Amino acid sequence: MKIAKGDIVARISYNKDILFVVDRIITPSNIAILKGIDIRIEADAPLYDLKKMDRQIVKEFEKNFDYRLDTKIKQSNKKASFSIYTGKILHLDGDKRYSEKSIRYYRKLGLNAIVKNIPEYNQPKMVQTLLNKYNPDILVVTGHDAMLKNGVNFNNIYNYRNSRYFIDTVKEARKWAYSSDKLTIFARCVSKLL
């Protein structure tokens, strides 16, 4: 069965433990670049190691993931014997699929969150405008990253595809925070060696 961009697949060599969407295919080498559906992971795999997943299996997998999440939410709510105020959250994410999932999970948790899908390279340019518009207490910045193919120094941010954008986004947010009351920032990217 031919694998194409947008297909939902699993890696045979990993016992089909994680479901991925095919982000792109590198044709000469027949390597697929994959993004996890329920787990934020980016990976690559040869096409021969991929199995296209049936829609029913994908639905069951996502249903099971949602069930586990709901169970964790209920358990944490039982443990909390007091109300927790989290404030308003502004979440910037470079991946559309994870932006949509984040919205769902924030709602399930009853959190006051605004999620914006903004590519990593645009986040530093957009963050102050969004901070001014939404005036959040918490800023969450997430996305994917990868070490460039010719990168040799793991400590040099310029050897990574998006790290400098995350750093610049935090710097821009800190500039905004100096003129406002207080802002807590969580910035996280998932990195992968290409």
Side-chain angles (χ1 to χ4, degrees):
M1 188 176 289
K2 188 176 177 182
I3 305 290
K5 180 178 176 172
D7 285 346
I8 305 296
V9 297
R11 296 174 296 179
I12 298 164
S13 61
Y14 285 80
N15 295 319
K16 299 180 257 183
D17 61 341
I18 299 172
L19 295 185
F20 295 91
V21 63
V22 177
D23 187 53
R24 68 184 187 280
I25 296 174
I26 302 170
T27 347
S29 54
N30 287 326
I31 298 288
I33 304 300
L34 311 168
K35 288 188 177 181
I37 289 182
D38 289 320
I39 299 170
R40 186 179 289 276
I41 182 173
E42 190 172 304
D44 58 55
L47 292 177
Y48 66 79
D49 190 36
L50 299 177
K51 171 141 176 64
K52 196 170 177 179
M53 303 307 285
D54 178 78
R55 286 179 192 245
Q56 190 58 38
I57 291 172
V58 174
K59 283 182 182 176
E60 285 299 317
F61 193 91
E62 289 185 331
K63 185 178 172 184
N64 185 33
F65 185 84
D66 284 343
Y67 174 77
R68 289 192 322 252
L69 180 68
D70 287 341
T71 302
K72 284 183 181 182
I73 291 169
K74 286 175 187 170
Q75 288 171 348
S76 64
N77 286 343
K78 283 180 185 176
K79 288 179 186 175
S81 58
F82 51 88
S83 295
I84 299 172
Y85 173 73
T86 60
K88 187 191 296 183
I89 301 166
L90 172 62
H91 185 162
L92 311 181
D93 195 299
D95 187 292
K96 188 175 194 285
R97 184 182 296 272
Y98 282 98
S99 297
E100 292 166 356
K101 284 180 180 287
S102 295
I103 291 167
R104 271 198 349 252
Y105 298 143
Y106 283 129
R107 285 185 185 144
K108 283 184 179 189
L109 289 166
L111 298 175
N112 181 10
I114 295 121
V115 180
K116 296 291 179 183
N117 172 229
I118 299 172
E120 290 85 354
Y121 62 87
N122 275 334
Q123 290 177 0
K125 299 173 208 164
M126 300 286 299
V127 69
Q128 283 199 17
T129 302
L130 293 167
L131 289 168
N132 282 326
K133 182 176 182 177
Y134 296 109
N135 195 25
D137 303 295
I138 299 167
L139 173 65
V140 178
V141 183
T142 54
H144 292 285
D145 204 0
M147 187 170 196
L148 300 174
K149 193 171 189 173
N150 297 327
V152 290
N153 182 351
F154 289 101
N155 297 320
N156 184 340
I157 64 164
Y158 295 103
N159 283 323
Y160 292 86
R161 181 172 289 136
N162 292 317
S163 289
R164 65 183 175 273
Y165 302 125
F166 292 107
I167 291 167
D168 290 345
T169 301
V170 171
K171 284 180 179 178
E172 290 300 312
R174 284 284 168 234
K175 287 179 193 174
W176 179 86
Y178 290 135
S179 62
S180 69
D181 288 345
K182 198 173 181 180
L183 180 68
T184 302
I185 301 173
F186 296 94
R188 182 170 189 272
C189 64
V190 171
S191 194
K192 172 194 158 324
L193 183 64
L194 288 178

